[in-house]
Amino acid sequence: ILDKAYRQVKFLETILDNMQEPIYVLDKHGKFIYVNRALIDLSGSTKEVLLTYTMYRMAEEGIIERAVSEDVLK
């Protein structure tokens, strides 16, 4: 069961990583838990570094504009 779930997650990550639009997933605190290749390329950083960010920090540093995610979290 875990192997099947792992393959499904990897499949979805592959799809998201091949999209041209920057895509990210946040936890309930606004911390990045997933970033796709387009966002990595846009930021000029690494996935490991981006996953230490929150949406607030990314906006402060100008990597993203004010995220609608902030409204969603509220």
Side-chain angles (χ1 to χ4, degrees), residues 28-61:
K28 66 181 181 178
H29 304 289
K31 184 175 184 320
F32 286 79
I33 58 174
Y34 173 80
V35 293
N36 75 341
R37 170 88 354 247
L39 185 60
I40 294 166
D41 293 343
L42 176 69
S43 74
S45 192
T46 66
K47 184 175 189 171
E48 293 75 24
V49 169
L50 292 177
L51 291 178
T52 68
Y53 277 68
T54 64
M55 67 176 173
Y56 308 107
R57 181 176 168 201
M58 271 210 173
E60 287 171 5
E61 293 186 15

